[in-house]
Amino acid sequence: MGGTAQLEFREQKAGTEGQLSAERTALQASKEQQAILKKSKSPDQQAISQTQAAIEQQYNEISELFDKAAIAGGHFKNTNAQPLSGQGWEIAIELK
């Protein structure tokens, strides 16, 4: 950890909407289980490791539902984030 974040624009593969929903639900359940395991008075390190492996697998499964990136961080000349006058943020991206 501790590297520079990379932004990619990827298109979801046609017909994968239901699978994406199911994978996201499973991922959320695994994350919740991981949080419970870590907060335990005597954490089960093996269960934590198994849950972490499941989370990583679910991220991989979700990733497979999308095409490869057409535009990624290397295509950007400049990016800038600024707060909007109401709520939220605005991101300006200048491409090379």
Side-chain angles (χ1 to χ4, degrees):
M1 292 194 160
T4 302
Q6 296 294 314
L7 176 65
E8 296 180 342
F9 292 90
R10 299 174 73 189
E11 186 173 357
Q12 186 175 349
K13 294 177 182 177
T16 63
E17 294 81 8
Q19 186 179 357
L20 178 59
S21 178
E23 293 291 348
R24 291 173 107 184
T25 299
L27 176 61
Q28 185 61 36
S30 293
K31 286 180 173 182
E32 290 170 4
Q33 180 64 29
Q34 184 78 310
I36 291 168
L37 289 168
K38 287 182 175 182
K39 289 181 183 177
S40 173
K41 290 183 181 180
S42 56
D44 180 345
Q45 294 303 318
Q46 183 177 0
I48 290 171
S49 293
Q50 289 173 340
T51 306
Q52 184 61 41
I55 290 169
E56 291 171 13
Q57 180 61 34
Q58 288 159 337
Y59 276 125
N60 288 335
E61 295 292 330
I62 289 171
S63 179
E64 293 297 318
L65 302 177
F66 293 83
D67 290 325
K68 297 290 181 197
I71 299 175
H75 294 98
F76 303 144
K77 181 176 181 181
N78 190 23
T79 60
N80 188 0
Q82 58 191 28
L84 293 174
S85 58
Q87 297 178 355
W89 287 78
E90 175 179 77
I91 308 294
I93 299 172
E94 184 178 354
L95 299 173
K96 289 182 181 178

